[in-house]
């Protein structure tokens, strides 16, 4: 039986991970630590909260004393670190929060883990610090370049990617210098339930439902490698259960898509979804999709500065050593994601706060 501290567990991937873990390992204790920033939402984990094997703690990863107390009091043996500022566009407009949370916050967690696990417990218990990172630390690829492997040199281009790269280095340094048992995963773009609607896929789905423009940056030919969020959780599970302490693992879906193609695909699927009588009634504002013409909403806007052209993950190591495979194909995963947003309108309307609308309006000048 394990006792997990999941930072950022009220965000997109962290909440999916907490749900995945509760279902797969019902005897394990899962404690979510989350500061509930604009991206964190207690509704994401509401269904987990009635179990005595689950606890939500509202707090900041920068609070080293709090984290140490949690490690001691709940005898945490596994720390899974998702908490971060995660949106590239926000990092371009205001990098400070990214430096603070992603770098200083990760360092604060490392210090707490070192103090309790290594100094107080004298390294006698089996523990693990797993750091959840991104493929964006590797920079950008040309059209014919091979996909990123675990040995691709780091070359981050956005403040977000640079802050994640710095945190990866700190995690590694704590292993090399102090012997903290760490693992790191670098994953490609995730999609699925509870994805905050400022990111491409949920933004396109929810904007179609409100008949708003679909902003496509630049020529729309940038490529991302999309993975269903539960497959990411499964990859982290395999890493946590392995004895490969000190190793980094790439997680990806072998699923490269140009942004414009993904936007067009979603438009087609939304046109189809609006043929359903229930959906037609539920979303009367979705005028373009109701007419089978959601693609009319596509609007090319100014490109993101320093926009990485292509990401692609080579997950051979994770497949060969840990037996990682994806369970969700993109054809099924994207339909599941769309269906989730159709069935959870209250959720995405609730997270679209005033702050969110202001951000979107400022961002796209729409
Ligand atoms: P998210 O923005 O949806 O969630 C982040 C969560 O962290 C939120 O619940 C937020 O409240 C919490 N948080 C932020 N600052 C905090 C702080 N100082 N203390 C405590 N909690 C804090 O992000 P996500 O998309 O779920 O990403 C989770 C992790 O996975 C991040 O580390 C991100 O870099 C990484 N990642 C994301 C993707 C992706 O496609 N979304 C891909 C690869 C890796
Ligand atoms: P995003 O979901 O923000 O993830 P990331 O920047 O971490 O890859 O964006 C995915 C891709 O979609 C990225 O190339 C930027 C592009 N994009 C748009 O074209 N329009 C949008 O409105 C958004 C949010 C993203």
């Amino acid at each position: 039986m394990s006792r997990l501290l999941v930072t950022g567990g009220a965000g997109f991937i962290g909440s999916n991970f907490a749900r995945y873990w509760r279902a797969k390992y019902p005897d394990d204790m899962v404690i979510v630590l989350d500061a509930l920033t604009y991206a964190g939402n207690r509704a994401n984990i509401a269904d987990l909260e009635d179990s005595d094997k689950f606890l939500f703690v509202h707090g900041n990863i920068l609070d080293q004393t709090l984290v140490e107390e949690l490690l001691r009091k709940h005898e945490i043996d596994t720390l899974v670190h998702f908490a971060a500022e995660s949106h590239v566009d926000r990092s371009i407009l205001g990098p400070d929060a990214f430096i603070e949370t992603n770098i200083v916050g990760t360092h604060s967690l490392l210090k707490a883990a070192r103090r309790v696990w290594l100094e107080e417990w004298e390294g006698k218990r089996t523990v693990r610090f797993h750091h959840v990172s991104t493929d964006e630390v590797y920079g950008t690829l040309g059209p014919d370049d091979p996909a990123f492997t675990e040995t691709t040199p780091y070359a981050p281009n956005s403040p977000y990617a640079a802050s994640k790269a710095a945190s990866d280095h700190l995690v590694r340094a704590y292993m090399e210098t102090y012997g903290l048992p760490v693992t790191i995963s670098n994953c490609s773009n995730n999609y699925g339930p509870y994805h905050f609607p400022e990111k491409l896929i949920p933004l396109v789905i929810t904007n179609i439902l409100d008949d708003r423009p679909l902003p496509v940056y630049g020529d729309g030919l940038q490529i991302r490698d999309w993975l269903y969020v539960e497959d990411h959780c499964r990859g982290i599970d395999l890493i946590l259960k392995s004895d490969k302490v000190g190793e980094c693992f790439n997680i990806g879906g072998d699923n490269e898509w140009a942004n414009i193609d993904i936007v067009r695909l979603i438009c087609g699927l939304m046109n189809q979804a609006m043929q359903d009588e229930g959906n037609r009634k539920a979303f009367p504002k979705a005028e373009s999709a109701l007419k089978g013409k959601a693609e009319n909403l596509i609007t090319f806007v100014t490109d993101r500065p320093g926009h990485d052209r292509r990401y692609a993950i080579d997950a051979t190591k994770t497949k060969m050593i840990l037996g990682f495979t994806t369970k969700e194909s993109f054809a099924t995963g994207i339909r599941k994601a769309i269906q989730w947003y159709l069935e959870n309108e209250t959720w995405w309307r609730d997270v679209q706060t005033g702050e969110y609308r202001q951000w979107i309006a400022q961002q796209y000048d729409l």
Side-chain angles (χ1 to χ4, degrees), residues 129-147:
F129 187 114
H130 182 74
H131 178 57
V132 179
S133 193
T134 167
D135 59 357
E136 305 196 21
V137 298
Y138 299 122
T140 187
L141 292 169
D144 300 322
D145 287 341

Side-chain angles (χ1 to χ4, degrees), residues 87 136 189 198 200 203 215 217 224 259 304 307 364:
H87 191 36
E136 305 196 21
N189 286 61
E198 66 183 351
L200 182 70
L203 181 88
Y217 299 166
R224 297 291 181 267
N259 292 338
R304 171 189 279 173
H307 197 171
Y364 307 119

Side-chain angles (χ1 to χ4, degrees), residues 291-350:
K291 289 184 207 143
K293 295 273 181 219
E295 54 282 2
N296 288 352
L297 296 170
I298 293 173
T299 308
F300 287 90
V301 298
T302 310
D303 207 354
R304 171 189 279 173
H307 197 171
D308 286 335
R309 202 66 188 160
R310 175 175 166 239
Y311 301 144
I313 276 276
D314 179 342
T316 306
K317 175 181 171 185
T318 316
K319 290 177 190 166
M320 300 299 283
I321 296 182
L322 305 180
F324 173 71
T325 51
T326 51
K327 278 204 178 162
E328 201 69 58
S329 72
F330 194 58
T332 56
I334 193 70
R335 282 173 173 79
K336 266 190 179 178
I338 288 175
Q339 192 57 31
W340 191 86
Y341 283 85
L342 290 170
E343 288 170 6
N344 290 277
E345 185 185 5
T346 311
W347 181 87
W348 55 265
R349 292 232 181 264
D350 282 353

Side-chain angles (χ1 to χ4, degrees), residues 10-13 34-35 37 40 60-61 82 86 133 160 164 187-188 190:
F12 163 46
I13 308 176
D34 200 295
T37 67
N60 200 306
I61 57 166
F82 292 93
S86 68
S133 193
Y160 163 68
K164 292 296 291 185
C187 189
S188 59
N190 286 212

Side-chain angles (χ1 to χ4, degrees), residues 7-120:
T7 72
F12 163 46
I13 308 176
S15 63
N16 277 283
F17 178 81
R19 183 168 298 101
Y20 166 92
W21 202 273
R22 288 289 307 124
K24 183 153 179 204
Y25 304 105
D27 292 333
D28 286 0
M29 181 74 198
V30 173
I31 297 171
V32 161
L33 171 65
D34 200 295
L36 298 181
T37 67
Y38 79 94
N41 189 350
R42 210 151 160 186
N44 295 8
I45 44 172
D47 55 316
L48 306 177
E49 294 216 30
D50 57 3
S51 162
D52 61 358
K53 296 282 185 189
F54 182 88
L55 182 68
F56 173 76
V57 178
H58 185 194
N60 200 306
I61 57 166
L62 287 150
D63 186 345
Q64 190 185 332
T65 308
L66 168 68
V67 176
E68 285 179 18
E69 277 167 18
L70 292 173
L71 296 179
R72 280 185 207 108
K73 182 174 169 201
H74 299 286
E75 301 190 355
I76 300 294
D77 52 46
T78 308
L79 195 157
V80 193
H81 177 33
F82 292 93
E85 290 293 336
S86 68
H87 191 36
V88 173
D89 294 322
R90 287 183 190 252
S91 83
I92 294 167
L93 286 183
D96 297 65
F98 290 71
I99 307 306
E100 193 65 11
T101 291
N102 299 1
I103 306 179
V104 183
T106 300
H107 187 228
S108 177
L109 286 178
L110 288 164
K111 285 193 289 180
R114 181 185 169 211
R115 168 83 51 84
V116 176
W117 287 349
L118 299 186
E119 292 173 6
E120 295 175 19

Side-chain angles (χ1 to χ4, degrees), residues 349-366:
R349 292 232 181 264
D350 282 353
V351 302
Q352 289 175 333
T353 59
E355 186 268 356
Y356 170 84
R357 279 282 164 229
Q358 219 177 347
W359 155 255
I360 292 286
Q362 168 194 4
Q363 177 66 8
Y364 307 119
D365 200 20
L366 295 175

